[in-house]
Amino acid sequence: MTDQTAYLLQEKVAELSAALLERHPRMPTLLREIHTTLSKYPEQVTLMSEDDVRAVVEGLKVQTGVEFAATATKSSGTKSLAAKVAKLGADAF
């Protein structure tokens, strides 16, 4: 049964990839079916290829209109704790 589940999931992901290219009206249904399958068989997530995961994420981005931040950076205006400790030296503790 696991092989059949993996195959069906792969087919849905492949169809989703095609739907992304066409902005297919069936995309919400495919995303729901993929979500249901992954909820029922969570081990399938680890068996998915990177391309399959990428297709699902792209589908979710298109469907929800959400963009992910590329990188979150911290301002370099303050010294790090390690730099402060190095300046004080080990005797300060």
Side-chain angles (χ1 to χ4, degrees):
M1 182 161 177
T2 303
D3 291 337
Q4 183 180 12
T5 301
Y7 175 77
L8 291 173
L9 180 61
Q10 226 172 11
E11 287 295 310
K12 288 176 187 172
V13 170
E15 193 174 342
L16 175 62
S17 295
L20 282 171
L21 295 175
E22 301 173 14
R23 306 274 180 167
H24 197 280
R26 191 162 184 266
M27 189 168 43
T29 303
L30 290 170
L31 287 167
R32 191 175 316 108
E33 289 173 356
I34 290 169
H35 177 264
T36 301
T37 301
L38 293 176
S39 294
K40 190 172 181 179
Y41 304 101
E43 69 279 1
Q44 293 297 318
V45 174
T46 59
L47 301 174
M48 292 174 67
S49 70
E50 286 186 29
D51 290 336
D52 289 348
V53 173
R54 185 177 298 111
V56 172
V57 170
E58 288 300 318
L60 290 169
K61 285 170 56 177
V62 168
Q63 182 64 26
T64 60
V66 173
E67 288 293 323
F68 297 110
T71 308
T73 58
K74 183 180 175 184
S75 172
S76 61
T78 60
K79 289 185 177 182
S80 70
L81 182 59
K84 291 177 183 177
V85 170
K87 183 177 179 182
L88 292 174
D91 296 333
F93 298 100

